[in-house]
Amino acid sequence: MESLTYTDSTSKARSSRLRQARKAVDSQPSAGKTPESELMTVEEYFDEVWQRYLEKYEKLQA
């Protein structure tokens, strides 16, 4: 079995990429949560998906 050795340059590069990624995430504006009253239920969502499916199916049959 081979053993892998990592050099300091690899770990430094990896840690600098992680720091850059964290900065990018921190600099993005955070979006607030959607109020519970504006969310649709699972049933409502799948009803809409089903209606869209039926509409497209009817168009294909015509």
Side-chain angles (χ1 to χ4, degrees):
M1 191 186 256
E2 290 182 24
S3 65
L4 298 174
T5 55
Y6 295 101
T7 63
D8 284 331
S9 63
T10 303
S11 62
K12 286 180 185 177
R14 186 176 298 137
S15 64
S16 69
R17 280 183 286 175
L18 288 173
R19 269 189 249 113
Q20 289 173 349
R22 285 187 194 127
K23 286 180 185 176
V25 169
D26 291 341
S27 66
Q28 293 177 352
S30 62
K33 288 187 175 181
T34 303
E36 192 86 25
S37 62
E38 293 181 21
L39 296 174
M40 66 171 57
T41 64
V42 173
E43 290 83 11
E44 290 171 332
Y45 174 78
F46 282 107
D47 283 341
E48 284 191 23
V49 170
W50 182 248
Q51 290 303 317
R52 287 183 188 175
Y53 168 79
L54 290 176
E55 289 171 6
K56 298 230 184 237
Y57 182 76
E58 288 175 4
K59 285 181 184 178
L60 288 173
Q61 295 300 316

